Amino acid sequence: MKKKIFSGVQPTGNLHLGNYLGAIKNFVELNNDDENKCIFCVVDLHAITVNQDPKELKNNIRETVATFIASGIDPQKSIIFNQSKVSAHSEAAWILSCVARMGWLNRMTQFKEKAGKDKEKASIGLYSYPVLMAADILLYDTTHVPVGDDQKQHLELCRDIAQKFNNDFKTDNFFISPEPLIQKEFSRIMSLKDGTKKMSKSELSDLSRINLTDEKEQIINKIKKAKTDALPLPTTIKELDSRPETKNLIGIYSSLTGLTLEKSVEKFAEKNFSEFKESLTQILIDKITPISNEIKKLLSEKNYLDEILTEGCKKAEIISAEKIKKIHEIVGF
Ligand code: TYM
């Protein structure tokens, strides 16, 4: 069966190793399989659920497209577009927000984390964010959604919304419940400063993450300063459970080299961190600096990036307009 793939990335700057290993690397593999139809969306409507500087947002939209391409996504094979330019997304999000239940949204852990203690001051958009995400996915009859582990709950909500819409309007299989594609291992890359916290673009310290635009010297410095513990490297995977920073660094190494966690542990068993960090730094430089250089090159070709978005928007518009038309008929507009 042909897979219909849809995924999105927020253009909020500082795309990092977590975005790459958790999602974008998987996008590239799916894009390379000619059996798949892939759509990759720069979710700028999601980005404005928290404050954005308009000028920076514009640059970050282009930088996200540049990152997709620099990582290996082929715009001839996959549709790349930005969400705000295809109005069906906002429209479907409203209709689906009349299907989704408050109780379902109240359970979303990402909202709780992002809103923090003062949730009265969070935007309504931040709260209803997962409904817009469901609209993104359902408009394209998506069968599979490649994401990092942190988006799992949002995908379950998307499936619930699809089912409720189908039940409420007695339209069996009108919306397809998508399957998440989450890597079994390394689906959550953690901060370099705290192995219990997710690597994130909103973390204040830049030393907590490897950005996809980092240069060689920055990578060397960040891995040198990455938190470890006082013991030598473990001999068994089991030992990693009580050593979150070590687990994360070995996980990053495994994910980049394609080795299993077991094999990586075996390779560095009882070695000291300086030796392991040297190997990790080298593999990061080998994988990330070509992407970083290509992003910088592409950013100087603004017209090329804008053209990709314009072409992608046209294609996305055709598919989503057809679906929205059917939604109107079903709802009774
Ligand atoms: P966003 O922009 O926060 O992240 C983009 C992708 O990167 C993954 N990711 C991680 N994976 C592993 N470890 C990490 N530390 C890490 N940090 C981020 C995310 O899981 C995600 O796959 N809501 C989504 C964007 C979205 C979307 C969609 C995704 C909007 N509509 C429709 C899929 C389908 C988000 O905020 O991603």
Side-chain angles (χ1 to χ4, degrees), residues 207-310:
L207 291 174
S208 68
R209 62 182 163 261
I210 304 283
N211 298 311
L212 297 178
T213 48
D214 278 350
E215 311 216 332
K216 189 175 163 188
E217 291 310 316
Q218 287 168 297
I219 295 174
I220 294 172
N221 186 37
K222 285 178 181 180
I223 296 301
K224 199 165 139 204
K225 296 206 169 129
K227 189 175 169 196
T228 54
D229 50 40
L231 302 168
L233 280 129
T235 51
T236 63
I237 295 191
K238 184 102 197 61
E239 288 169 64
L240 291 175
D241 290 342
S242 54
R243 301 173 66 183
E245 284 80 20
T246 308
K247 183 175 183 178
N248 187 40
L249 293 178
I250 296 194
I252 292 172
Y253 180 86
S254 302
S255 186
L256 287 167
T257 53
L259 287 180
T260 60
L261 204 54
E262 222 160 20
K263 283 260 180 286
S264 301
V265 168
E266 215 173 89
K267 188 167 176 184
F268 294 102
E270 289 179 349
K271 300 242 161 81
N272 56 31
F273 271 101
S274 61
E275 194 176 336
F276 167 64
K277 279 188 167 182
E278 220 170 90
S279 300
L280 177 61
T281 303
Q282 195 52 52
I283 187 84
L284 276 164
I285 291 171
D286 291 348
K287 296 276 175 177
I288 302 302
T289 47
I291 296 179
S292 162
N293 292 339
E294 187 64 15
I295 293 173
K296 282 170 199 136
K297 193 181 130 235
L298 286 165
L299 280 176
S300 65
E301 299 171 32
K302 286 198 174 105
N303 290 344
Y304 170 64
L305 297 174
D306 291 350
E307 235 167 69
I308 288 171
L309 285 175
T310 308

Side-chain angles (χ1 to χ4, degrees), residues 104-253:
W104 299 354
L105 284 172
N106 286 340
R107 285 199 286 275
M108 295 296 116
T109 52
Q110 187 167 297
F111 173 75
K112 289 179 196 158
E113 277 166 26
K114 285 200 175 168
K117 282 199 194 91
D118 204 356
K119 67 176 194 299
E120 297 288 314
K121 287 208 173 127
S123 72
I124 294 169
L126 189 66
Y127 180 72
S128 60
Y129 174 116
V131 181
L132 175 61
M133 182 164 157
D136 298 340
I137 296 166
L138 299 176
L139 275 172
Y140 298 91
D141 295 336
T142 305
T143 60
H144 295 83
V145 185
V147 279
D149 177 68
D150 60 329
Q151 297 299 315
K152 198 169 166 192
Q153 197 185 29
H154 290 162
L155 277 179
E156 280 158 12
L157 182 89
C158 171
R159 292 166 62 92
D160 289 342
I161 293 175
Q163 272 169 24
K164 187 168 188 313
F165 184 97
N166 290 346
N167 288 341
D168 287 356
F169 294 100
K170 301 189 178 47
T171 52
D172 269 0
N173 298 325
F174 173 70
F175 280 137
I176 293 165
S177 286
E179 296 293 332
L181 289 177
I182 300 173
Q183 330 242 37
K184 277 196 200 77
E185 282 176 317
F186 330 121
S187 58
R188 186 177 283 251
I189 304 298
M190 311 308 269
S191 158
L192 300 178
K193 294 265 119 201
D194 178 349
T196 62
K197 269 170 73 184
K198 195 179 76 168
M199 184 178 283
S200 146
K201 36 193 155 185
S202 51
E203 169 89 41
L204 276 182
S205 169
D206 197 52
L207 291 174
S208 68
R209 62 182 163 261
I210 304 283
N211 298 311
L212 297 178
T213 48
D214 278 350
E215 311 216 332
K216 189 175 163 188
E217 291 310 316
Q218 287 168 297
I219 295 174
I220 294 172
N221 186 37
K222 285 178 181 180
I223 296 301
K224 199 165 139 204
K225 296 206 169 129
K227 189 175 169 196
T228 54
D229 50 40
L231 302 168
L233 280 129
T235 51
T236 63
I237 295 191
K238 184 102 197 61
E239 288 169 64
L240 291 175
D241 290 342
S242 54
R243 301 173 66 183
E245 284 80 20
T246 308
K247 183 175 183 178
N248 187 40
L249 293 178
I250 296 194
I252 292 172
Y253 180 86

Side-chain angles (χ1 to χ4, degrees), residues 11-70:
T12 37
N14 292 340
L15 286 182
H16 52 71
L17 190 66
N19 298 123
Y20 180 71
L21 294 178
I24 299 172
K25 185 167 161 261
N26 213 358
F27 297 176
V28 176
E29 278 161 26
L30 292 161
N31 162 92
N32 287 344
D33 182 342
D34 288 335
E35 286 290 296
N36 298 330
K37 284 194 154 177
C38 299
I39 306 183
F40 301 114
C41 184
V42 181
V43 291
D44 46 9
L45 294 172
H46 277 107
I48 62 160
T49 55
V50 296
N51 286 343
Q52 298 293 338
D53 175 277
K55 261 200 199 125
E56 271 176 32
L57 180 61
K58 216 173 195 108
N59 286 333
N60 287 337
I61 291 171
R62 290 196 183 107
E63 190 170 309
T64 308
V65 180
T67 305
F68 284 169
I69 295 169

